[in-house]
Amino acid sequence: MDPIDTGSGSILRQPKAVWATAGASVVAFMGIGLVDPILPSIAEGLDATAGQVSLLFTSYFLITALAMLVTGFVSSRIGGRRTLLLGLALVVVFAGFSGTSGSVGELVGFRAGWGLGNALFVSTALAVIVGAAAGGSAAAILLYESALGLGMACGPLLGALLGDANWRYPFFGTAALMAVGFACIAAFLKEQPRPARKTSLLDPVKALGHGGLASTAVSAFFYNYTFFTVLAFTPFVLDMSPYRSGAVFFAWGVLLAVFSVIVAPRLQKRFGSLRVLGGSLVLLAVDVLVLGHGGHTAAVACTVLSGALIGVNNTVYTELALGVSDAPRPVASAGYNFVRWFAAAAAPFFAPRIEEWSDVHMPFTVAAVTAVLGALVVLVRRRSLTAEAEELRPRHATEDGVGVFAN
């Protein structure tokens, strides 16, 4: 079913608990792109290099990847509500500390703590929304995807607006917004039923023993390297003011949201998930090559356009990860995300160093190659992925327990 058509008119008529969780999810996803427009300002303010500042992404996503082994373990023992509140509390503390940083090393460390809090929150938010929403899981997932897209679009904009005055202000602003989210969830969300079986720390790793899930994770690993080369390295190439850079990444985020929620499902219905994914990855490779080797205008246009392709990829990868194996959705998602978020940590670290070793074009050439590698994995494993996804889809389509850091 097209996620825009939920089969009821209830998508906007949700309990306060759902809106509180969705609103906090918007802010949580804002934290990913918040620093994009102010990376050059942070480098100047802390007398740091581009490579040092890029570690803000590396520490954030490295901890996020490792936390995927912990989130299910924690939430299955203390419950979804307490896990959300714990994650929000950590984000409030470490986002606030980030604004007080006196060195790039301190800021990188605080971003790592922020990543742990964000992982705990976001990995649990969809399960809570699905459990509390009216109108079924389709309406809940649409609401969650909309929150993701809105957050990814607004993060760079907020970073630009506050960061133009001082690079510290976006961190304080995020801490304040997350504190509001904490209060709303504490007031409106009741504790959710705990799963019958507690999740162990090794369950996500064991789930990767399934060939289809492992293939999806490996392909997403290569794709995420491309994705986060664009997100973390492009601001230095564009070399624009915070306002202009924020506008570019706001447009990027809008396309990401629209193509993730509206366009991708229609393409999947017409052409099939694997064809859409393979084609989108190849187009992303071409886009990134032009971004890195063209002029400034081409770089701006290709940065914005990449949001559309990234939105399509995010949606298809999420559905594959949730439907391709026989593991419970939270466990399969944790294993999948454990693998792919390592690429999100690697790309910001290696892109500036590749530039130092060669030139400014080479990081984007490498990113184009990794996108093609992701498509090749899908091509080589297409029969297995298609057969397993078709076999398991009916069971997963009726399964309500979802816990993912989806996109």
Side-chain angles (χ1 to χ4, degrees), residues 6-13:
T6 64
S8 72
S10 62
I11 181 61
L12 296 179
R13 295 194 295 272

Side-chain angles (χ1 to χ4, degrees), residues 98-363:
S98 295
T100 68
S101 300
S103 68
V104 69
E106 288 183 6
L107 184 53
V108 168
F110 292 142
R111 280 282 287 183
W114 186 344
L116 174 60
N118 217 48
L120 287 169
F121 173 81
V122 180
S123 65
T124 311
L126 180 55
V128 170
I129 290 175
V130 168
S137 61
I141 292 172
L142 175 59
L143 192 61
Y144 179 84
E145 291 284 352
S146 300
L148 183 151
L150 184 61
M152 292 292 282
C154 292
L157 194 61
L158 178 66
L161 292 174
L162 297 179
D164 188 61
N166 190 298
W167 67 263
R168 300 179 187 273
Y169 292 168
F171 298 111
F172 294 137
T174 300
L177 289 173
M178 286 304 245
V180 173
F182 182 98
C184 290
I185 288 178
F188 299 122
L189 180 64
K190 297 180 180 180
E191 185 56 81
Q192 305 296 297
R194 300 184 189 183
R197 177 181 176 274
K198 293 181 179 179
T199 302
S200 77
L201 292 175
L202 293 179
D203 280 351
V205 177
K206 293 177 181 177
L208 290 170
H210 185 279
L213 182 61
S215 298
T216 303
V218 170
S219 177
F221 175 90
F222 289 124
Y223 155 66
N224 262 34
Y225 186 95
T226 307
F227 176 0
F228 284 93
T229 296
V230 173
L231 191 62
F233 187 66
T234 301
F236 292 103
V237 176
L238 296 180
D239 192 24
M240 304 168 80
S241 69
Y243 274 125
R244 291 180 180 273
S245 183
V248 169
F249 279 97
F250 174 73
W252 169 88
V254 169
L255 284 185
L256 187 153
V258 170
F259 276 74
S260 177
V261 176
I262 299 175
V263 177
R266 286 172 166 77
L267 292 176
Q268 289 175 272
K269 185 176 181 179
R270 180 169 182 178
F271 299 106
S273 294
L274 298 186
R275 288 182 179 178
V276 170
L277 182 59
S280 182
L281 286 169
V282 172
L283 289 175
L284 181 60
V286 174
D287 179 85
V288 170
L289 273 179
V290 177
L291 193 165
H293 292 267
H296 189 267
T297 301
V300 171
C302 287
T303 299
V304 174
L305 179 60
S306 71
L309 301 171
I310 288 169
V312 171
N313 292 334
N314 284 350
T315 295
V316 180
Y317 272 120
T318 297
E319 292 189 6
L320 282 177
L322 295 182
V324 77
S325 80
D326 54 359
R329 277 177 164 178
V331 174
S333 176
Y336 158 76
N337 283 297
F338 171 70
V339 173
R340 75 183 187 112
W341 285 118
F342 276 109
F349 177 82
F350 284 112
R353 286 155 183 80
I354 292 173
E355 180 196 15
E356 293 173 3
W357 300 333
S358 53
D359 56 45
V360 73
H361 308 297
M362 188 56 64

